[in-house]
Amino acid sequence: MPIKNKFAAEVVAIALLALGMVLPATAASVDLSNPAFAQTAGPTSIPIGHSEFCKTRRSECGAYKKVVEVEELSESRWRKLVAINDRFNRDIVPVSDKDLYQVDELWTYPDGYGDCEDIALAKRRALIADGWDASALLMAVVRQENGEGHAVLMVRTDRGDLVLDNQDGMVKLWADTPYKFLKRQSQADAGQWVDILDTRVLTVAQR
């Protein structure tokens, strides 16, 4: 069953405006060491699903000629971000790869049905089409509270790393999610991944 967004995009946008989250800022003034940004280490293993995805879509997985460290989060862009997140959470029915394709792992663009990484890929593609820079739109792998793996889209903005998640209708800062962040795409090369240094203390439920 699709997860419904409990909050209208307008309500969430107004709430963030009240917090001053979308006040004007420039990339040059952004302190990337701030806890609002997930810190990373060196290169790490590439998820097998994304590695296979890149073999068939090489144009989407190469090094970037120019890296945009953060995207400016204006009020209009925030509304667009929330709208795209809400649209794919509403329109794509969550189905496991095992049930849909009879394989354990397959990263692809969904056609009405898909699992977490498929939905995240669709959001990423829609944001790129809307003018967001691909180097600021990063697939990320996390561990859920129950210990299971999950994939989300991390958007690097001048107000922090925001997470678009098919399991939560709210767009949140990465540190405000209940996940343990493990790794994400490199900002320099869409086909490479880096470790995330997530030192937050989280209580993970035992299986």
Side-chain angles (χ1 to χ4, degrees):
M1 180 180 295
I3 297 175
K4 297 183 182 297
N5 189 348
K6 298 180 180 179
F7 302 92
E10 291 80 3
V11 174
V12 180
I14 291 171
L16 286 179
L17 279 169
L19 292 173
M21 185 172 178
V22 294
L23 292 175
T26 62
S29 67
V30 174
D31 177 9
L32 295 177
S33 67
N34 188 290
F37 298 94
Q39 303 303 306
T40 60
T44 191
S45 60
I46 303 169
I48 184 63
H50 191 248
S51 179
E52 293 299 316
F53 174 88
C54 287
K55 289 179 180 179
T56 59
R57 296 176 176 83
R58 296 186 183 277
S59 63
E60 299 184 38
C61 296
Y64 296 113
K65 294 182 179 179
K66 179 182 178 182
V67 173
V68 174
E69 285 192 325
V70 296
E71 287 276 19
E72 182 180 346
L73 192 63
S74 63
E75 180 180 354
S76 62
R77 299 195 91 197
W78 164 255
R79 291 178 183 275
K80 176 64 72 172
L81 194 70
V82 172
I84 286 176
N85 187 60
D86 183 55
R87 173 159 62 90
F88 285 100
N89 285 358
R90 180 186 65 243
D91 293 348
I92 305 300
V93 179
V95 180
S96 71
D97 289 332
K98 197 70 173 179
D99 290 337
L100 194 55
Y101 303 111
Q102 291 73 56
V103 296
D104 291 328
E105 191 73 6
L106 178 66
W107 290 36
T108 188
Y109 290 114
D111 183 14
Y113 301 86
D115 65 359
C116 55
E117 65 265 10
D118 303 337
I119 298 172
L121 284 168
K123 294 173 183 177
R124 184 175 187 272
R125 181 170 64 175
L127 287 168
I128 292 172
D130 191 57
W132 296 66
D133 195 276
S135 65
L137 304 171
L138 310 169
M139 295 291 293
V141 173
V142 304
R143 184 180 295 119
Q144 301 179 80
E145 292 175 295
N146 61 8
E148 295 182 357
H150 182 50
V152 298
L153 181 64
M154 178 179 285
V155 182
R156 305 216 84 189
T157 77
D158 56 1
R159 295 299 164 182
D161 290 331
L162 301 181
V163 173
L164 276 61
D165 183 7
N166 72 302
Q167 296 188 148
D168 190 339
M170 295 281 287
V171 175
K172 299 177 179 178
L173 282 171
W174 78 282
D176 291 335
T177 70
Y179 305 131
K180 184 73 172 181
F181 280 73
L182 305 177
K183 53 188 173 182
R184 66 159 172 77
Q185 283 178 294
S186 164
Q187 278 199 277
D189 189 325
Q192 300 300 317
W193 286 62
V194 294
D195 280 319
I196 294 177
L197 302 176
D198 188 352
T199 59
R200 295 172 300 146
V201 178
L202 298 174
T203 302
V204 180
Q206 298 296 318
R207 291 185 179 183

